[in-house]
Amino acid sequence: MLKKCIAVAAIFFAAAAVNAQEKPVYLDDSKPLNLRVEDALQRMTLEEKIAFIHAQSKFSAPGVPRLGIPEVWTTDGPHGIRPEVKWDEWDQAGWTNDRCTAFPALTCLAATWNKDMSSLYGKSIGEEARFRNKNILLGPGVNIYRSPLNGRNFEYMGEDPFLAGQMVVPYIKGVQSNGVAACVKHFALNNQETNRNTVNVVVDDRALYEIYLPAFKAAVQQGGAWSIMGSYNKYKGQQNCHNQYLLNDILKGEWGFEGVVVSDWGGVHDGMQPIFNGLDLEFGTWTDGLNTGNTNAYDNYYLAKPYLDKIKSGKVGTKELDDKVRRVLRLCFLTTLDRNRPYGSFATPEHALAGRKIAEEGIVLLQNNNNLLPIDLNKTKRIAVIGENAIKAMTVGGGSSSLKANYEVSPLDGIKNIVGNKAEVVYARGYVGDPNSNYNGVVFGADLTEKRPAEELLAEAVKLAKSADIVIFVGGLNKSPYQDDEGYDRKEYALPYNQDKVVSELAKANKNLVFVNISGNAVAMPWVKQVPAIVQGWYLGTETGNALARVLVGDVNPSGKLPFTFPVSLADNPAKAVGEFPGGDEVHYTEGIFVGYRYADKQNIKPLFPFGHGLSYTSFSYGKVSVDKSKVNADDKVTFSVKVKNTGKRDGAEIVQLYISDLKSSLTRPVKELKGFEKVYLKAGEEKTVSITVDKEALSYFDDKKHAWVAEPGDFEAIIGASSADVKNKVKFTLK
Ligand code: GLC
């Protein structure tokens, strides 16, 4: 007994002694961040510093156990928290507590044109990452939509750098408010999946600075992103995960980025460049030297033992190492070592509701002839739902953004839920696309095996369509290879699986036909004149069916607008018509700054549906736009105001777009460029004045000779539009 008392006493005094010591600076959160970083840095051994800057497992790095600096855990992806994989494998760990909320794809978020939805999205997904103890979320992605064939467009925010930049900032802040770092990707020029690991992008400086960089610049300078992910491809012949031009000169030099550059998984290919060209944290390296990782070969990483050996042999110094370590330490102090950060939450009803709200605000009503929509359930007795995408799970698949959702309401179930016993809902497959619904070991959703031949499926669908008051065809793309899927580009612009034939036959069978396009990309619609109503449905996540159904029956008035152009055919897409896509070892962005609507305006091409287009179940009228000063000094802000009225019978929201046109410029410029937008909510009959303020940045172009942004004095025009092609009115002003 006596011995026990002595032992307890000894521990007590030892503990008291420790407490009496001054708390080390790096653990004292009353001290400034950079002092804590320096204190931790000088306590670390060389070996600890080397271990600190590369992976120890598929998705984690070791931290500094001896100093109590926790491991760094990364997680995919931009739409939800990826299910756990094994320590060193892509295979599922088979955990039972990692079924997440699947949020809508980022094309849908962009289509809301609503920064509040972006904040809600970032906060919610950040809470899920936090709860799962991840401190780097590998998202969002903001690569520009250059071609409708890019397999990963669904993960990004459209064709316009201003829209993508404005919409990514609140997402980043929302994520980081949880003490989780956003990792904005893929920096930069990753606009295709073909040859993504090696393709060298050739692009002029004006297109680089005016089109492909702005969303990343906004993420860093306005969003304060704590990390950025280098992309797989090359620029100027260097791999972008260790690219002097992009990472050192631009990101860290011109933009002053103080965060961490994380490699893409397998994006590091060189022994020396990662040391000097701006990489800070190495993941997923192919340690077999070819294209896969040898098992648990983390010591073979370029920034592991090879780097340590170079330092020990005196071949390289430690200045670059300390800079990398400082950056990762800073991220740790902002995340795992921030004792005041919230605890997060996971797969909650609140997050599902958040996802549904974002989905409802992002769905775009593309066409609604004879006001076929919304469906009037008092008059409609029989609804025929046709198409594989009415029953196919879309939260699984598509590559690294694939999820193990806690649930996913299919479009068919959503329609059945909302219709209840007010009408009969009948279903036919119509065609077979991809019966698999699994990715990386996650099997999710209905069993879609189908033995019947195509003719029989079509005949069944047509018969059903003839018997219904209204037909809802739910088709489009899916998350399978060569559709909307990482690692592959689409092979064609047309809908796959012979859907055009099915839609055309249904249109003959019943004129009351609605086409719901579930996709993250534009598609050809040769039957557009035969189908009165067309809805862009996106990938909507956990609450897909409920969001879609609420729009279709009018419980929600659609208010989304397109974040990218729907060309009539691929020939109208500049990447195909002028540039190269996907190119070979090199890809030339010969179209330069004329991406998306910028090209349509230049060539006077009428798209199938233009950038910024989206209808409502109500209507809006616009007054004349006014400007607060017709003569603008270089440092002035200038405000444009326009009255918008809801002239219909039901409440709705309108997205007012401000485009700037430089009427005379030394360098060629697009006819107009988006430089402001405001989503305004109006009750039936209500009128509000919408004001949008811009500064000289909105008037500037990038002068590649001067390597500087220039706002050139002269005449400009502010153009107010309900889309890039629906100009309401304009006002001239002069920059002095
Ligand atoms: C993938 C993707 C990247 C993802 C990473 C980890 O290849 O390019 O977006 O975050 O590897 O899965």
Side-chain angles (χ1 to χ4, degrees):
M1 184 58 183
L2 179 60
K3 276 189 181 161
K4 267 193 181 169
C5 292
I6 293 167
V8 168
I11 290 168
F12 173 75
F13 284 112
V18 166
N19 280 345
Q21 272 169 3
E22 180 63 8
K23 180 184 288 191
V25 166
Y26 77 96
L27 289 180
D28 180 348
D29 42 23
S30 70
K31 294 285 187 302
L33 190 57
N34 55 1
L35 282 189
R36 297 178 67 189
V37 167
E38 291 310 315
D39 181 47
L41 179 74
Q42 53 90 16
R43 292 169 188 265
M44 290 166 72
T45 65
L46 177 59
E47 285 72 14
E48 286 169 335
K49 291 179 183 177
I50 288 288
F52 194 57
I53 59 170
H54 66 268
Q56 65 171 1
S57 77
K58 194 53 92 185
F59 283 100
S60 74
V64 191
R66 179 179 62 85
L67 296 178
I69 297 176
E71 295 175 332
V72 171
W73 275 91
T74 69
T75 179
D76 287 313
H79 308 149
I81 307 309
R82 182 172 182 155
E84 294 294 332
V85 295
K86 291 175 183 165
W87 179 258
D88 186 47
E89 306 296 333
W90 294 111
D91 298 341
Q92 292 307 300
W95 289 19
T96 55
N97 64 349
D98 57 354
R99 282 194 175 281
C100 69
T101 303
F103 295 96
L106 291 194
T107 37
C108 176
L109 174 60
T112 69
W113 293 59
N114 182 341
K115 295 175 203 168
D116 295 339
M117 288 297 109
S118 182
S119 294
L120 175 65
Y121 197 126
K123 178 179 176 297
S124 305
I125 194 172
E127 285 170 346
E128 301 230 343
R130 173 70 189 95
F131 188 85
R132 303 269 327 108
N133 268 322
K134 311 295 182 183
N135 63 314
I136 299 182
L137 174 70
L138 301 174
V142 287
N143 291 104
I144 289 296
Y145 186 111
R146 176 174 177 257
S147 162
L149 302 183
N150 175 20
R152 283 189 94 171
N153 278 331
F154 72 98
E155 285 187 55
Y156 306 145
M157 302 179 95
E159 75 186 30
D160 183 85
F162 180 81
L163 177 64
Q166 292 294 300
M167 292 302 289
V168 78
V169 166
Y171 178 115
I172 293 164
K173 290 182 172 176
V175 169
Q176 298 186 163
S177 68
N178 290 283
V180 173
C183 185
V184 185
K185 66 190 186 182
H186 305 86
F187 190 70
L189 299 164
N190 183 186
N191 307 97
Q192 66 188 59
E193 290 301 289
T194 308
N195 299 334
R196 67 173 178 163
N197 296 310
T198 54
V199 69
N200 182 41
V201 174
V202 179
V203 61
D204 63 56
D205 274 3
R206 288 200 64 205
L208 177 66
Y209 276 84
E210 293 190 20
I211 303 294
Y212 298 100
L213 291 181
F216 288 101
K217 184 178 181 183
V220 167
Q221 295 190 335
Q222 298 168 44
W226 294 340
S227 65
I228 290 274
M229 185 188 292
S231 64
Y232 280 130
N233 56 291
K234 294 175 189 166
Y235 170 63
K236 290 193 172 178
Q238 277 189 1
Q239 300 280 171
N240 287 356
C241 289
H242 34 87
N243 188 299
Q244 170 66 25
Y245 311 98
L246 292 175
L247 300 180
N248 281 348
D249 298 351
I250 297 173
L251 178 66
K252 295 180 177 180
E254 293 176 19
W255 299 350
F257 178 63
E258 295 186 330
V260 176
V261 174
V262 182
S263 76
D264 199 341
W265 268 239
V268 184
H269 301 268
D270 182 89
M272 289 297 274
Q273 286 185 10
I275 297 169
F276 298 100
N277 288 6
L279 177 68
D280 300 309
L281 194 49
E282 180 185 1
F283 275 99
T285 293
W286 300 326
T287 45
D288 72 353
L290 300 171
N291 59 8
T292 57
N294 291 331
T295 304
N296 285 312
Y298 299 99
D299 288 342
N300 301 354
Y301 274 39
Y302 293 101
L303 293 183
K305 195 172 175 314
Y307 187 16
L308 181 61
D309 293 346
K310 290 183 179 72
I311 290 172
K312 286 188 168 174
S313 67
K315 189 173 179 188
V316 299
T318 57
K319 181 168 74 72
E320 295 77 18
L321 173 62
D322 285 350
D323 180 57
K324 298 176 201 304
V325 172
R326 281 192 184 93
R327 290 169 182 270
V328 182
L329 279 171
R330 188 176 299 123
L331 185 144
C332 292
F333 286 123
L334 291 167
T335 58
T336 50
L337 286 168
D338 173 1
R339 295 178 307 155
N340 304 316
R341 62 179 182 153
Y343 294 101
S345 55
F346 192 73
T348 59
E350 290 77 13
H351 288 168
L353 181 61
R356 199 191 77 196
K357 280 177 69 175
I358 294 159
E360 289 166 355
E361 285 235 4
I363 289 170
V364 184
L365 180 58
L366 293 175
Q367 183 167 281
N368 193 21
N369 299 339
N370 346 306
N371 291 322
L372 178 62
L373 289 176
I375 298 169
D376 182 347
L377 290 179
N378 298 323
K379 293 181 190 145
T380 307
K381 292 297 158 241
R382 190 172 161 83
I383 301 171
V385 178
I386 315 282
E388 181 173 281
N389 283 0
I391 60 172
K392 182 173 176 59
M394 297 290 189
T395 54
V396 66
S400 58
S401 62
S402 176
L403 298 170
K404 182 167 83 175
N406 57 338
Y407 69 88
E408 178 181 352
V409 179
S410 71
L412 178 61
D413 287 344
I415 293 166
K416 284 180 175 173
N417 291 349
I418 209 161
V419 169
N421 57 13
K422 295 189 196 100
E424 188 189 7
V425 179
V426 290
Y427 173 73
R429 180 79 168 259
Y431 67 92
V432 175
D434 177 12
N436 303 317
S437 53
N438 65 64
Y439 176 79
N440 212 234
V442 174
V443 182
F444 189 71
D447 174 3
L448 300 182
T449 42
E450 174 61 68
K451 300 261 185 294
R452 293 173 292 168
E455 301 70 35
E456 188 178 329
L457 293 172
L458 178 56
E460 177 198 39
V462 167
K463 185 163 178 280
L464 212 58
K466 283 177 175 156
S467 72
D469 300 314
I470 188 165
V471 180
I472 303 172
F473 180 86
V474 186
L477 306 177
N478 57 38
K479 300 289 192 71
S480 314
Y482 304 105
Q483 304 297 324
D484 285 325
D485 183 17
E486 175 182 344
Y488 303 85
D489 290 325
R490 292 164 65 198
K491 292 177 176 165
E492 56 187 1
Y493 183 50
L495 283 171
Y497 316 129
N498 205 21
Q499 288 178 75
D500 288 340
K501 170 104 174 89
V502 179
V503 174
S504 303
E505 290 305 312
L506 291 176
K508 289 175 199 158
N510 191 321
K511 64 182 182 347
N512 294 336
L513 175 59
V514 181
F515 179 88
V516 177
N517 185 35
I518 303 292
S519 81
N521 257 317
V523 297
M525 296 183 178
W527 32 260
V528 65
K529 291 190 173 23
Q530 286 78 46
V531 178
I534 302 172
V535 173
Q536 177 58 28
W538 308 120
Y539 297 112
L540 299 172
T542 288
E543 281 283 318
T544 292
N546 291 336
L548 213 43
R550 283 159 56 84
V551 167
L552 291 173
V553 303
D555 287 6
V556 168
N557 187 358
S559 62
K561 296 206 172 185
L562 289 178
F564 52 76
T565 305
F566 265 63
V568 172
S569 76
L570 209 50
D572 292 344
N573 170 257
K576 209 70 184 169
V578 180
E580 283 179 330
F581 186 94
D585 292 340
E586 280 200 345
V587 59
H588 292 81
Y589 290 13
T590 328
E591 75 280 8
I593 58 178
F594 296 102
V595 171
Y597 68 89
R598 290 168 165 83
Y599 178 71
D601 284 349
K602 177 170 181 267
Q603 304 295 111
N604 274 317
I605 292 173
K606 188 178 181 320
L608 176 64
F609 297 110
F611 171 82
H613 169 75
L615 302 177
S616 170
Y617 292 147
T618 187
S619 52
F620 301 98
S621 68
Y622 286 65
K624 285 204 65 53
V625 59
S626 63
V627 61
D628 62 349
K629 53 181 83 71
S630 55
K631 299 256 184 283
V632 179
N633 294 314
D635 295 333
D636 283 348
K637 288 187 183 298
V638 51
T639 298
F640 304 95
S641 300
V642 62
K643 283 191 181 346
V644 183
K645 182 171 184 173
N646 179 339
T647 52
K649 295 186 177 52
R650 56 171 298 165
D651 302 353
E654 171 67 335
I655 297 162
V656 178
Q657 299 155 44
L658 170 74
Y659 296 85
I660 295 291
S661 178
D662 188 346
L663 298 179
K664 187 172 169 304
S665 58
S666 313
L667 302 182
T668 52
R669 298 193 70 177
V671 169
K672 63 177 185 291
E673 298 178 278
L674 182 76
K675 296 294 179 186
F677 60 88
E678 200 66 41
K679 190 166 200 174
V680 58
Y681 295 82
L682 294 166
K683 295 197 174 318
E686 188 179 11
E687 179 176 74
K688 280 181 186 169
T689 298
V690 172
S691 292
I692 299 174
T693 299
V694 299
D695 61 16
K696 70 177 177 186
E697 197 179 322
L699 313 182
S700 304
Y701 61 80
F702 185 77
D703 184 322
D704 48 338
K705 301 279 179 298
K706 296 175 185 162
H707 197 78
W709 287 91
V710 172
E712 195 172 32
D715 293 341
F716 288 80
E717 216 167 33
I719 299 165
I720 294 291
S723 81
S724 61
D726 182 2
V727 173
K728 296 301 181 185
N729 54 68
K730 314 174 178 183
V731 64
K732 276 195 174 57
F733 63 99
T734 304
L735 176 63
K736 286 190 288 191

